């Protein structure tokens, strides 16, 4: 019994270290998105992919409080977490 009681501090430390490590692991990286979207009511999930237009810089986001460009964490507007990249209204040039 004494041997067990003497090992309790070491066991407690090992447990605390394991818990600290487990709860400090990063969640899904929100920057894993590779596509850029703009709101479009005509699309099934309300967003249209405009990645190629944005890469070629053939667009404008006029000044308004709407969402112009957004990303979704898993590149899926139906299930991904949204990040607003730029405000305004999307307009192709």
């Amino acid at each position: 019994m004494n041997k067990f009681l003497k090992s309790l501090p070491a066991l407690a430390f090992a447990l605390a270290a394991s818990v600290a490590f487990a709860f400090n692991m990063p969640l899904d990286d929100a920057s894993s998105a590779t596509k850029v979207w703009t709101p479009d009511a005509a699309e099934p999930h309300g967003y249209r992919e405009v990645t190629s237009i944005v890469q070629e810089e053939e667009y404008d986001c006029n000044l308004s409080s709407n969402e112009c460009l957004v990303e979704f964490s898993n590149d899926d507007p139906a299930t991904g977490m949204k990040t607003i990249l730029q405000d305004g209204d999307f307009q192709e040039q």
Side-chain angles (χ1 to χ4, degrees), residues 21-32 73 81:
F21 181 75
F23 286 105
N24 284 316
M25 296 299 293
L27 297 176
D28 289 343
D29 186 11
S31 66
S32 65
S73 58
M81 290 180 48

Side-chain angles (χ1 to χ4, degrees), residues 81-93:
M81 290 180 48
K82 179 174 62 175
T83 302
I84 299 174
L85 302 177
Q86 192 170 356
D87 291 332
D89 288 314
F90 185 85
Q91 298 175 346
E92 291 185 56
Q93 293 177 348

Side-chain angles (χ1 to χ4, degrees), residues 37-78:
W37 306 79
T38 193
D40 187 343
E43 295 294 318
H45 296 292
Y47 290 91
R48 173 173 51 111
E49 184 193 347
V50 292
T51 307
S52 61
I53 298 168
V54 170
Q55 288 172 344
E56 295 170 9
E57 297 182 5
E58 296 179 357
Y59 73 98
D60 288 320
C61 285
N62 71 6
L63 301 176
S64 75
S65 60
N66 298 328
E67 300 170 354
C68 180
L69 299 176
V70 299
E71 283 182 339
F72 293 94
S73 58
N74 60 356
D75 289 330
D76 185 356

